[in-house]
Short mmCIF file of all heavy atoms in Angstrom, two decimals:
data_model
loop_
_atom_site.label_atom_id
_atom_site.label_comp_id
_atom_site.label_asym_id
_atom_site.label_seq_id
_atom_site.Cartn_x
_atom_site.Cartn_y
_atom_site.Cartn_z
N VAL A 469 21.96 -6.96 -59.00
CA VAL A 469 22.85 -7.65 -59.91
C VAL A 469 23.96 -8.30 -59.09
O VAL A 469 24.37 -7.76 -58.05
CB VAL A 469 23.42 -6.69 -60.98
CG1 VAL A 469 24.25 -5.58 -60.35
CG2 VAL A 469 24.22 -7.46 -62.02
N TYR A 470 24.43 -9.45 -59.54
CA TYR A 470 25.40 -10.24 -58.80
C TYR A 470 26.64 -10.51 -59.64
O TYR A 470 26.59 -10.53 -60.87
CB TYR A 470 24.81 -11.59 -58.38
CG TYR A 470 23.51 -11.49 -57.63
CD1 TYR A 470 22.29 -11.60 -58.29
CD2 TYR A 470 23.50 -11.28 -56.25
CE1 TYR A 470 21.10 -11.51 -57.60
CE2 TYR A 470 22.31 -11.18 -55.55
CZ TYR A 470 21.11 -11.31 -56.24
OH TYR A 470 19.92 -11.22 -55.55
N LEU A 471 27.73 -10.76 -58.96
CA LEU A 471 28.94 -11.24 -59.60
C LEU A 471 29.48 -12.40 -58.78
O LEU A 471 30.02 -12.19 -57.69
CB LEU A 471 30.00 -10.15 -59.73
CG LEU A 471 31.25 -10.54 -60.51
CD1 LEU A 471 30.92 -10.76 -61.98
CD2 LEU A 471 32.35 -9.49 -60.35
N GLN A 472 29.30 -13.61 -59.28
CA GLN A 472 29.86 -14.79 -58.65
C GLN A 472 31.29 -14.97 -59.14
O GLN A 472 31.52 -15.09 -60.34
CB GLN A 472 29.04 -16.03 -58.99
CG GLN A 472 29.59 -17.33 -58.42
CD GLN A 472 29.54 -17.37 -56.92
OE1 GLN A 472 28.48 -17.12 -56.33
NE2 GLN A 472 30.66 -17.67 -56.28
N MET A 473 32.24 -14.97 -58.23
CA MET A 473 33.66 -15.05 -58.56
C MET A 473 34.22 -16.35 -58.00
O MET A 473 34.26 -16.54 -56.78
CB MET A 473 34.42 -13.85 -58.00
CG MET A 473 33.86 -12.51 -58.46
SD MET A 473 34.84 -11.11 -57.88
CE MET A 473 34.55 -11.23 -56.13
N ASN A 474 34.66 -17.23 -58.88
CA ASN A 474 35.24 -18.50 -58.49
C ASN A 474 36.71 -18.55 -58.92
O ASN A 474 37.15 -17.78 -59.77
CB ASN A 474 34.48 -19.66 -59.13
CG ASN A 474 33.04 -19.74 -58.69
OD1 ASN A 474 32.70 -19.42 -57.56
ND2 ASN A 474 32.18 -20.18 -59.60
N SER A 475 37.43 -19.49 -58.35
CA SER A 475 38.85 -19.69 -58.69
C SER A 475 39.62 -18.38 -58.64
O SER A 475 40.38 -18.04 -59.56
CB SER A 475 38.97 -20.34 -60.07
OG SER A 475 38.30 -21.59 -60.10
N LEU A 476 39.44 -17.63 -57.58
CA LEU A 476 40.04 -16.31 -57.47
C LEU A 476 41.56 -16.38 -57.42
O LEU A 476 42.13 -17.32 -56.86
CB LEU A 476 39.51 -15.59 -56.24
CG LEU A 476 38.10 -15.01 -56.42
CD1 LEU A 476 37.46 -14.73 -55.08
CD2 LEU A 476 38.15 -13.75 -57.27
N LYS A 477 42.18 -15.38 -58.02
CA LYS A 477 43.62 -15.27 -58.10
C LYS A 477 44.07 -13.97 -57.44
O LYS A 477 43.30 -13.01 -57.38
CB LYS A 477 44.08 -15.27 -59.56
CG LYS A 477 43.60 -16.45 -60.38
CD LYS A 477 43.99 -16.27 -61.85
CE LYS A 477 43.52 -17.44 -62.69
NZ LYS A 477 43.89 -17.26 -64.11
N PRO A 478 45.32 -13.89 -56.97
CA PRO A 478 45.80 -12.62 -56.42
C PRO A 478 45.65 -11.46 -57.39
O PRO A 478 45.42 -10.33 -56.96
CB PRO A 478 47.27 -12.91 -56.12
CG PRO A 478 47.30 -14.37 -55.84
CD PRO A 478 46.29 -14.98 -56.78
N GLU A 479 45.74 -11.72 -58.68
CA GLU A 479 45.58 -10.68 -59.69
C GLU A 479 44.17 -10.10 -59.74
O GLU A 479 43.96 -9.06 -60.36
CB GLU A 479 45.94 -11.21 -61.08
CG GLU A 479 47.31 -11.86 -61.16
CD GLU A 479 47.24 -13.36 -60.94
OE1 GLU A 479 47.34 -13.78 -59.76
OE2 GLU A 479 47.08 -14.11 -61.92
N ASP A 480 43.21 -10.76 -59.10
CA ASP A 480 41.85 -10.25 -59.04
C ASP A 480 41.67 -9.20 -57.95
O ASP A 480 40.60 -8.60 -57.84
CB ASP A 480 40.86 -11.39 -58.79
CG ASP A 480 40.82 -12.38 -59.94
OD1 ASP A 480 40.82 -11.96 -61.11
OD2 ASP A 480 40.77 -13.60 -59.65
N THR A 481 42.68 -8.99 -57.13
CA THR A 481 42.59 -8.01 -56.05
C THR A 481 42.35 -6.62 -56.62
O THR A 481 43.12 -6.14 -57.45
CB THR A 481 43.87 -8.03 -55.21
OG1 THR A 481 44.00 -9.30 -54.56
CG2 THR A 481 43.83 -6.94 -54.15
N ALA A 482 41.29 -5.97 -56.16
CA ALA A 482 40.91 -4.66 -56.67
C ALA A 482 39.68 -4.18 -55.92
O ALA A 482 39.05 -4.94 -55.17
CB ALA A 482 40.61 -4.71 -58.17
N VAL A 483 39.34 -2.92 -56.13
CA VAL A 483 38.04 -2.41 -55.74
C VAL A 483 37.08 -2.70 -56.88
O VAL A 483 37.35 -2.34 -58.03
CB VAL A 483 38.07 -0.91 -55.43
CG1 VAL A 483 36.68 -0.40 -55.09
CG2 VAL A 483 39.03 -0.62 -54.28
N TYR A 484 35.98 -3.34 -56.58
CA TYR A 484 34.99 -3.71 -57.58
C TYR A 484 33.82 -2.74 -57.51
O TYR A 484 33.25 -2.49 -56.45
CB TYR A 484 34.52 -5.14 -57.36
CG TYR A 484 35.52 -6.15 -57.84
CD1 TYR A 484 36.72 -6.34 -57.18
CD2 TYR A 484 35.28 -6.92 -58.99
CE1 TYR A 484 37.66 -7.25 -57.63
CE2 TYR A 484 36.21 -7.83 -59.45
CZ TYR A 484 37.39 -8.00 -58.77
OH TYR A 484 38.31 -8.90 -59.22
N PHE A 485 33.45 -2.21 -58.67
CA PHE A 485 32.38 -1.22 -58.79
C PHE A 485 31.22 -1.78 -59.59
O PHE A 485 31.42 -2.38 -60.65
CB PHE A 485 32.88 0.04 -59.49
CG PHE A 485 33.97 0.77 -58.77
CD1 PHE A 485 35.30 0.48 -59.02
CD2 PHE A 485 33.67 1.75 -57.84
CE1 PHE A 485 36.31 1.14 -58.37
CE2 PHE A 485 34.68 2.43 -57.18
CZ PHE A 485 36.01 2.12 -57.44
N CYS A 486 30.04 -1.55 -59.11
CA CYS A 486 28.83 -1.81 -59.86
C CYS A 486 28.52 -0.59 -60.72
O CYS A 486 28.75 0.55 -60.30
CB CYS A 486 27.68 -2.08 -58.89
SG CYS A 486 26.07 -2.37 -59.64
N ALA A 487 28.01 -0.81 -61.93
CA ALA A 487 27.73 0.29 -62.84
C ALA A 487 26.42 0.05 -63.58
O ALA A 487 26.04 -1.08 -63.84
CB ALA A 487 28.88 0.44 -63.85
N ALA A 488 25.77 1.15 -63.93
CA ALA A 488 24.52 1.11 -64.68
C ALA A 488 24.65 1.94 -65.95
O ALA A 488 25.33 2.97 -65.97
CB ALA A 488 23.37 1.65 -63.83
N ALA A 489 23.99 1.47 -66.99
CA ALA A 489 23.92 2.20 -68.26
C ALA A 489 22.49 2.64 -68.52
O ALA A 489 21.54 2.01 -68.05
CB ALA A 489 24.42 1.32 -69.40
N HIS A 490 22.35 3.69 -69.30
CA HIS A 490 21.03 4.18 -69.68
C HIS A 490 20.63 3.61 -71.03
O HIS A 490 20.30 4.33 -71.97
CB HIS A 490 21.01 5.70 -69.69
CG HIS A 490 21.13 6.30 -68.32
ND1 HIS A 490 22.35 6.59 -67.74
CD2 HIS A 490 20.18 6.63 -67.41
CE1 HIS A 490 22.14 7.09 -66.54
NE2 HIS A 490 20.84 7.12 -66.32
N SER A 491 20.65 2.29 -71.11
CA SER A 491 20.29 1.58 -72.32
C SER A 491 20.00 0.13 -71.97
O SER A 491 20.40 -0.36 -70.91
CB SER A 491 21.41 1.66 -73.37
OG SER A 491 22.63 1.16 -72.84
N TYR A 492 19.33 -0.57 -72.87
CA TYR A 492 19.03 -1.98 -72.65
C TYR A 492 20.27 -2.84 -72.76
O TYR A 492 20.41 -3.84 -72.03
CB TYR A 492 18.01 -2.46 -73.68
CG TYR A 492 16.65 -1.79 -73.61
CD1 TYR A 492 15.87 -1.67 -74.75
CD2 TYR A 492 16.14 -1.30 -72.42
CE1 TYR A 492 14.62 -1.08 -74.70
CE2 TYR A 492 14.90 -0.71 -72.37
CZ TYR A 492 14.15 -0.61 -73.51
OH TYR A 492 12.90 -0.02 -73.46
N TYR A 493 21.15 -2.49 -73.66
CA TYR A 493 22.44 -3.14 -73.86
C TYR A 493 23.52 -2.08 -73.76
O TYR A 493 23.27 -0.90 -74.03
CB TYR A 493 22.52 -3.81 -75.24
CG TYR A 493 21.49 -4.90 -75.46
CD1 TYR A 493 20.19 -4.58 -75.86
CD2 TYR A 493 21.82 -6.24 -75.30
CE1 TYR A 493 19.25 -5.58 -76.08
CE2 TYR A 493 20.88 -7.23 -75.52
CZ TYR A 493 19.60 -6.90 -75.91
OH TYR A 493 18.67 -7.90 -76.13
N ALA A 494 24.71 -2.47 -73.38
CA ALA A 494 25.78 -1.50 -73.21
C ALA A 494 27.14 -2.12 -73.48
O ALA A 494 27.40 -3.26 -73.09
CB ALA A 494 25.76 -0.90 -71.80
N ARG A 495 27.98 -1.36 -74.15
CA ARG A 495 29.38 -1.69 -74.28
C ARG A 495 30.12 -1.12 -73.07
O ARG A 495 29.59 -0.30 -72.34
CB ARG A 495 29.93 -1.12 -75.59
CG ARG A 495 29.27 -1.73 -76.81
CD ARG A 495 29.78 -1.12 -78.09
NE ARG A 495 29.16 -1.72 -79.26
CZ ARG A 495 29.41 -1.38 -80.51
NH1 ARG A 495 30.28 -0.42 -80.77
NH2 ARG A 495 28.79 -1.99 -81.50
N PRO A 496 31.36 -1.57 -72.83
CA PRO A 496 32.05 -1.15 -71.60
C PRO A 496 32.12 0.36 -71.40
O PRO A 496 32.08 0.81 -70.25
CB PRO A 496 33.44 -1.76 -71.78
CG PRO A 496 33.19 -3.00 -72.57
CD PRO A 496 32.12 -2.63 -73.54
N TYR A 497 32.21 1.13 -72.46
CA TYR A 497 32.33 2.58 -72.31
C TYR A 497 30.99 3.28 -72.16
O TYR A 497 30.96 4.51 -72.03
CB TYR A 497 33.09 3.17 -73.51
CG TYR A 497 32.43 2.90 -74.84
CD1 TYR A 497 31.44 3.73 -75.34
CD2 TYR A 497 32.83 1.81 -75.62
CE1 TYR A 497 30.84 3.49 -76.56
CE2 TYR A 497 32.23 1.56 -76.84
CZ TYR A 497 31.23 2.39 -77.31
OH TYR A 497 30.65 2.14 -78.53
N GLU A 498 29.90 2.55 -72.16
CA GLU A 498 28.57 3.16 -72.11
C GLU A 498 27.96 3.18 -70.72
O GLU A 498 26.82 3.61 -70.56
CB GLU A 498 27.64 2.44 -73.08
CG GLU A 498 28.02 2.65 -74.54
CD GLU A 498 27.12 1.90 -75.49
OE1 GLU A 498 26.78 0.73 -75.21
OE2 GLU A 498 26.76 2.48 -76.54
N TYR A 499 28.67 2.73 -69.72
CA TYR A 499 28.17 2.80 -68.35
C TYR A 499 28.52 4.16 -67.76
O TYR A 499 29.66 4.63 -67.88
CB TYR A 499 28.79 1.69 -67.50
CG TYR A 499 28.35 0.31 -67.94
CD1 TYR A 499 29.03 -0.39 -68.92
CD2 TYR A 499 27.23 -0.28 -67.37
CE1 TYR A 499 28.61 -1.64 -69.33
CE2 TYR A 499 26.80 -1.53 -67.77
CZ TYR A 499 27.50 -2.20 -68.76
OH TYR A 499 27.08 -3.45 -69.15
N ASP A 500 27.56 4.79 -67.10
CA ASP A 500 27.78 6.16 -66.65
C ASP A 500 27.30 6.45 -65.23
O ASP A 500 27.32 7.61 -64.81
CB ASP A 500 27.15 7.16 -67.62
CG ASP A 500 25.67 6.93 -67.84
OD1 ASP A 500 25.07 6.07 -67.15
OD2 ASP A 500 25.09 7.61 -68.71
N TYR A 501 26.88 5.44 -64.50
CA TYR A 501 26.48 5.62 -63.12
C TYR A 501 27.13 4.52 -62.30
O TYR A 501 27.06 3.34 -62.67
CB TYR A 501 24.96 5.60 -62.97
CG TYR A 501 24.49 6.07 -61.62
CD1 TYR A 501 24.46 7.42 -61.32
CD2 TYR A 501 24.09 5.16 -60.65
CE1 TYR A 501 24.03 7.86 -60.08
CE2 TYR A 501 23.66 5.59 -59.41
CZ TYR A 501 23.64 6.93 -59.13
OH TYR A 501 23.21 7.37 -57.90
N TRP A 502 27.75 4.90 -61.17
CA TRP A 502 28.64 4.01 -60.45
C TRP A 502 28.31 3.90 -58.97
O TRP A 502 27.87 4.87 -58.35
CB TRP A 502 30.09 4.49 -60.58
CG TRP A 502 30.52 4.64 -61.99
CD1 TRP A 502 30.34 5.74 -62.79
CD2 TRP A 502 31.16 3.66 -62.80
NE1 TRP A 502 30.84 5.50 -64.05
CE2 TRP A 502 31.35 4.23 -64.08
CE3 TRP A 502 31.60 2.37 -62.55
CZ2 TRP A 502 31.96 3.53 -65.11
CZ3 TRP A 502 32.21 1.67 -63.59
CH2 TRP A 502 32.39 2.26 -64.84
N GLY A 503 28.53 2.72 -58.43
CA GLY A 503 28.46 2.53 -57.00
C GLY A 503 29.73 2.99 -56.31
O GLY A 503 30.67 3.50 -56.94
N GLN A 504 29.79 2.80 -55.01
CA GLN A 504 30.92 3.29 -54.22
C GLN A 504 32.11 2.33 -54.23
O GLN A 504 33.22 2.72 -53.86
CB GLN A 504 30.47 3.55 -52.78
CG GLN A 504 30.42 2.32 -51.87
CD GLN A 504 29.28 1.37 -52.17
OE1 GLN A 504 28.37 1.68 -52.94
NE2 GLN A 504 29.33 0.19 -51.55
N GLY A 505 31.89 1.09 -54.61
CA GLY A 505 32.95 0.11 -54.67
C GLY A 505 33.04 -0.75 -53.43
O GLY A 505 32.70 -0.33 -52.33
N THR A 506 33.51 -1.97 -53.62
CA THR A 506 33.76 -2.89 -52.51
C THR A 506 35.10 -3.58 -52.75
O THR A 506 35.41 -4.00 -53.86
CB THR A 506 32.61 -3.91 -52.36
OG1 THR A 506 32.82 -4.71 -51.20
CG2 THR A 506 32.48 -4.81 -53.58
N GLN A 507 35.90 -3.67 -51.69
CA GLN A 507 37.26 -4.19 -51.82
C GLN A 507 37.25 -5.72 -51.84
O GLN A 507 36.64 -6.37 -50.99
CB GLN A 507 38.12 -3.71 -50.65
CG GLN A 507 39.54 -4.26 -50.65
CD GLN A 507 40.39 -3.69 -51.76
OE1 GLN A 507 40.40 -2.48 -51.98
NE2 GLN A 507 41.11 -4.56 -52.47
#
């Protein structure tokens, strides 16, 4: 899975985590497996 980020702003500074849900569709609170993050 990819995240293309354009027009980046200083407010976008963060650790970004990939997440997986155990469903075909998921709301934000339904993700329960996480990557280690990338700065």
Side-chain angles (χ1 to χ4, degrees):
V469 62
Y470 306 95
L471 185 68
Q472 177 66 52
M473 304 184 293
N474 298 326
S475 301
L476 282 161
K477 305 174 180 180
E479 307 93 270
D480 296 317
T481 296
V483 177
Y484 283 70
F485 298 90
C486 178
H490 291 90
S491 57
Y492 297 152
Y493 299 83
R495 296 178 179 180
Y497 59 86
E498 293 178 319
Y499 294 88
D500 56 7
Y501 193 78
W502 305 86
Q504 82 288 349
T506 185
Q507 177 70 46

